[in-house]
Amino acid sequence: MMAGYVTVTKQQSLDRSISCDIFSAMHIIRFGLCLSGILMIGSASAVAAVSGEAVYAKRCAVCHEQVNERIPTHAALSMMPATRIMRAMDFGAMMSIAYPLSREEREAVAGFVGTKGGDAPPPASAFCSDRSVRVNDKAKFVWNGWSPNGDNTRFQPAAVAGLTVDQVKNLKLKWAYAFDGDVTAFAPPTFFDGQIFVGSAGGMVHAMHADTGCLQWTYQAAGPVRSAILTVPNGKQHALLFGDQTGWFYALEAETGKLLWKKHIELHDTARLTGSPVAHDGIVYVPVASWEETRSANPDYTCCTFRGSLVALQVKDGMQVWKSFMMDEPKESGKSDSGKIKMGPSGASIWSAPLIDLKRKLIYVTTGDNFSIPATLTSDALVAIDMATGKIAWSKQVTEGDVSPSEKGPDFDFGSAPMMVKNPQGHDLLVAGQKSGLVYAFDPDKKGELVWTVRVGKGSSQGGVQWGTSSDGQNIYAAVSDRGTTRGTGPGGQPIRIFDTSVGGGLTAMKIADGSKTWFVPAEKCTTPGCSPAQSAALTTIPGAVFSGSLDGHIRAYAAEDGKVLWDFDTVKDFKTVNGVKGKGGALDGAGPVIVNGMVFVNSGYPRFGGLPGNVLLAFTPDGK
Ligand code: HEC
């Protein structure tokens, strides 16, 4: 039996349920394709050698062999590097179309269509004149990893934020950097005294200088990098630790960008290392998630075999210390109506950053739903794992029997990391928000017993609290997605589904003691047809202000006192960028802003679940100076 397992869960819809709900410029095409994909596509898990030509004929030709002003022709695609075509499928314009395709099929079709060799490197003009990288781990101005402090509250104290509430209203764009060839920007930067490290949807990791956004070095990972990059001392130098969206985990030398080691820590081909790693005492802890549940829509797919896990690795060489699965190994668990074997248990992805509790020698994670039966006790749960052994010490489930979508469970993953806060009596509480629209406070001294539960949104598979709550020690802040869709008309008069501009969003401040509401502010109106006011992105706080991004592309700061909007910047526009690449802003989702040393960093572009594409990292300062 593996290290800790007890049962499992998974969460996902955060990254999985994609599918047919996409409404960007191409919604009609995507929608149609998506449906046909699910109904017609053959076994995505086929083991036989995959022919790229056959995948192309079946999955791509219908569009790319025709003349259409919006669709690049086969001839045009064949001038693109295969790596970029992979990226278009993994996290770019072809994401929803490629969803049913396995890794092998993607690689085969990219190899068939595209050229060999990688992407063009950034132009020399994008680099700093002085490319030396210095990481000062005694620095005052640091944001390292998912949260600037080990409690996952995403709270930056005044001295480190270097930004007062009074200055917030004067925030202006200082520079924009565009990720070349990407339509998504979702990796939060890590900051040490003006030195930044940031990943990208194209899988390029960048060392940059915060003053100007110039590059010092780049490193190309095998898959998209959206986890925050954790910097830890490594001898006289430093190691940068991060995962990609294909199950690989990396350590780079911060000073040079040189690969120290990489490990394929999860071999399931739907694996995603979305949650940011945390580290202590030479060990890094990596949460593992998956989008396998999407595949269950395909009647030919044997659903499901992925198990969420937390993996502990030695920082010095990547050697695995333990891997703690959220459940037992899957076995045959029944037959579908069409006679297809079902496998289970499965799921319980860990989508967010773990929380280290040195006092109790535990590490906590939140989990998502189960993908297939049997349901487990560790899905939609807070799970406490022994740091030394990887054994599950206890788990507290909040939604029972959530097997989704195969058994029509509600799909109430936790996508938000657990936060550690203190109540007014000085007792520790663990707090986490769920896609159900509920925020929970758990007692770490009573095996996660619930102290309070508060509803802050309606909740749904893409609703409720998605990517992260925040706390300034007084209040807990939780924003909700709760996006909705409605009927619309496509350019050709076809009926399509578009975002409902009047549904979603809202920000709640509640007291740590009992969850009682301090204030609630509904979403700001969004007016562009098809926009969504959903507030799905993680929150960030500084003393006096809460920052929240919206799917409508706005980043806003709210007064911690009463929820009044202090600052509002619309990122949906074209940007002139410091690296000369065309920059475009879009939806804000996923990671929240990073605030440090008087700078506010915001990613813009998230074309999933109908969000607007974009490719920029934006840096704001008071008056743009
Ligand atoms: C339903 C129609 C449709 C299908 C099927 C389709 N595509 Fe596309 N593809 C498009 C359109 C439309 C664009 C232009 C998107 C844009 O510019 O936003 C595009 C753009 C692309 C691009 C360029 C993206 C970039 O980064 O510039 C690539 C690469 C691509 N498709 C690959 C594929 C592959 C590989 C397949 C098959 C697995 C495929 N497409 C299937 C419609 C389709």
Side-chain angles (χ1 to χ4, degrees):
M1 191 168 80
M2 61 241 92
Y5 107 91
V6 162
T7 329
V8 165
T9 349
K10 144 43 254 143
Q11 146 177 15
Q12 174 330 306
S13 91
L14 284 163
D15 270 68
R16 70 130 171 271
S17 67
I18 278 295
S19 62
C20 298
D21 253 358
I22 303 267
F23 331 106
S24 52
M26 308 169 30
H27 43 250
I28 309 179
I29 304 184
R30 288 180 172 189
F31 190 62
L33 201 276
C34 189
L35 285 179
S36 61
I38 287 169
L39 301 175
M40 296 161 23
I41 282 302
S43 152
S45 57
V47 196
V50 177
S51 149
E53 190 173 357
V55 176
Y56 179 81
K58 194 164 168 186
R59 302 294 301 171
C60 319
V62 57
C63 293
H64 287 285
E65 292 298 321
Q66 60 171 303
V67 178
N68 176 308
E69 55 177 321
R70 280 164 47 221
I71 309 180
T73 58
H74 188 164
L77 295 186
S78 67
M79 294 187 296
M80 299 174 79
T83 45
R84 177 158 174 178
I85 296 173
M86 276 304 279
R87 197 191 307 169
M89 289 187 281
D90 281 349
F91 267 84
M94 295 295 100
M95 202 161 58
S96 63
I97 282 161
Y99 243 78
L101 300 184
S102 70
R103 201 88 219 133
E104 270 179 305
E105 289 170 312
R106 290 171 197 226
E107 278 163 11
V109 73
F112 167 70
V113 178
T115 60
K116 287 207 181 65
D119 296 295
S125 60
F127 284 87
C128 310
S129 46
D130 174 6
R131 297 199 195 174
S132 57
V133 171
R134 276 171 289 266
V135 180
N136 172 7
D137 43 42
K138 309 272 172 337
K140 175 175 168 197
F141 296 112
V142 175
W143 181 304
N144 186 15
W146 178 248
S147 176
N149 25 45
D151 57 14
N152 276 349
T153 56
R154 301 183 56 83
F155 171 71
Q156 187 68 290
V160 187
L163 180 72
T164 64
V165 193
D166 293 340
Q167 288 174 311
V168 166
K169 62 176 184 304
N170 299 327
L171 284 169
K172 297 222 163 51
L173 187 68
K174 183 174 165 76
W175 52 256
Y177 182 92
F179 299 108
D180 198 4
D182 293 356
V183 293
T184 304
F186 52 17
T190 272
F191 183 107
F192 277 86
D193 250 359
Q195 177 64 49
I196 315 179
F197 302 104
V198 65
S200 70
M204 193 178 272
V205 174
H206 310 67
M208 301 171 84
H209 206 282
D211 278 349
T212 61
C214 67
L215 296 173
Q216 293 142 319
W217 54 252
T218 62
Y219 171 84
Q220 184 61 51
V225 177
R226 73 178 291 176
S227 84
I229 292 173
L230 187 70
T231 309
V232 297
N234 185 41
K236 289 201 179 83
Q237 311 285 66
H238 295 81
L240 302 180
L241 305 169
F242 58 92
D244 76 12
Q245 296 286 299
T246 64
W248 283 92
F249 193 81
Y250 305 78
L252 304 185
E253 187 171 82
E255 284 74 7
T256 57
K258 199 183 86 198
L259 179 70
L260 296 171
W261 51 261
K262 62 176 182 173
K263 297 276 164 183
H264 203 179
I265 62 166
E266 175 55 58
L267 299 177
H268 199 287
D269 95 318
T270 63
R272 285 208 160 148
L273 306 182
T274 294
S276 303
V278 293
H280 176 71
D281 207 10
I283 309 285
V284 58
Y285 302 88
V286 190
V288 183
S290 147
W291 54 276
E292 189 187 21
E293 66 199 296
T294 311
R295 293 237 179 117
S296 65
N298 176 352
D300 292 330
Y301 184 72
T302 301
C303 172
C304 281
T305 53
F306 171 84
R307 298 181 285 160
S309 65
L310 184 70
V311 182
L313 306 171
Q314 287 183 172
V315 169
K316 63 173 193 244
D317 55 9
M319 210 180 89
Q320 184 173 304
V321 183
W322 48 254
K323 179 169 186 174
S324 182
F325 287 101
M326 297 294 106
M327 62 194 80
D328 269 330
E329 253 177 271
K331 47 182 196 273
E332 196 176 321
S333 63
K335 289 226 167 67
S336 70
D337 295 345
S338 58
K340 185 93 193 160
I341 290 171
K342 291 187 194 172
M343 298 288 287
S346 61
S349 288
I350 304 171
W351 290 100
S352 58
L355 176 83
I356 291 175
D357 180 351
L358 291 178
K359 193 156 80 184
R360 298 174 185 83
K361 301 190 174 56
L362 294 174
I363 180 162
Y364 307 103
V365 295
T366 52
T367 62
D369 57 291
N370 286 124
F371 300 167
S372 56
I373 51 165
T376 66
L377 296 174
T378 47
S379 57
D380 299 349
L382 173 71
V383 180
I385 297 162
D386 184 305
M387 283 179 76
T389 63
K391 288 216 165 60
I392 293 178
W394 50 260
S395 70
K396 173 68 186 173
Q397 186 170 51
V398 296
T399 307
E400 249 177 72
D402 181 5
V403 183
S404 173
S406 63
E407 306 294 322
K408 306 200 166 49
D411 187 16
F412 284 163
D413 305 86
F414 277 107
S416 298
M419 306 192 295
M420 181 74 92
V421 293
K422 277 198 189 318
N423 75 5
Q425 287 74 44
H427 293 146
D428 289 339
L429 284 184
L430 290 161
V431 173
Q434 195 195 13
K435 292 200 312 192
S436 59
L438 297 171
V439 176
Y440 305 90
F442 304 87
D443 187 341
D445 292 317
K446 293 186 181 160
K447 301 194 168 177
E449 194 176 287
L450 282 174
V451 180
W452 52 257
T453 302
V454 167
R455 178 164 292 286
V456 295
K458 284 201 314 249
S460 73
S461 73
Q462 293 173 36
V465 183
Q466 295 258 80
W467 289 113
T469 52
S470 187
S471 175
D472 53 12
Q474 307 298 315
N475 287 311
I476 286 157
Y477 303 95
V480 294
S481 164
D482 281 347
R483 65 193 98 195
T485 60
T486 182
R487 281 174 213 284
T489 311
Q494 315 87 320
I496 54 165
R497 292 203 70 80
I498 56 169
F499 275 141
D500 186 336
T501 56
S502 66
V503 175
L507 175 62
T508 302
M510 62 208 107
K511 298 210 172 68
I512 292 176
D514 57 3
S516 59
K517 277 178 199 175
T518 312
W519 48 258
F520 165 79
V521 285
E524 292 287 305
K525 288 210 164 47
C526 96
T527 46
T528 327
C531 70
S532 170
Q535 288 166 264
S536 171
L539 301 176
T540 305
T541 52
I542 61 170
V546 187
F547 289 72
S548 172
S550 164
L551 283 201
D552 68 7
H554 287 250
I555 175 76
R556 299 183 179 91
Y558 297 78
E561 202 183 347
D562 55 8
K564 208 179 98 213
V565 175
L566 302 171
W567 176 66
D568 182 342
F569 183 92
D570 184 0
T571 69
V572 182
K573 59 176 82 155
D574 295 335
F575 290 95
K576 201 173 161 262
T577 64
V578 289
N579 56 329
V581 170
K582 253 173 95 176
K584 209 174 170 44
L588 306 192
D589 203 344
V594 162
I595 305 178
V596 52
N597 195 18
M599 299 189 79
V600 177
F601 298 94
V602 176
N603 278 303
S604 181
Y606 203 87
R608 350 184 49 200
F609 312 114
L612 296 166
N615 65 346
V616 285
L617 173 65
L618 307 174
F620 298 89
T621 54
D623 298 317
K625 292 203 181 97

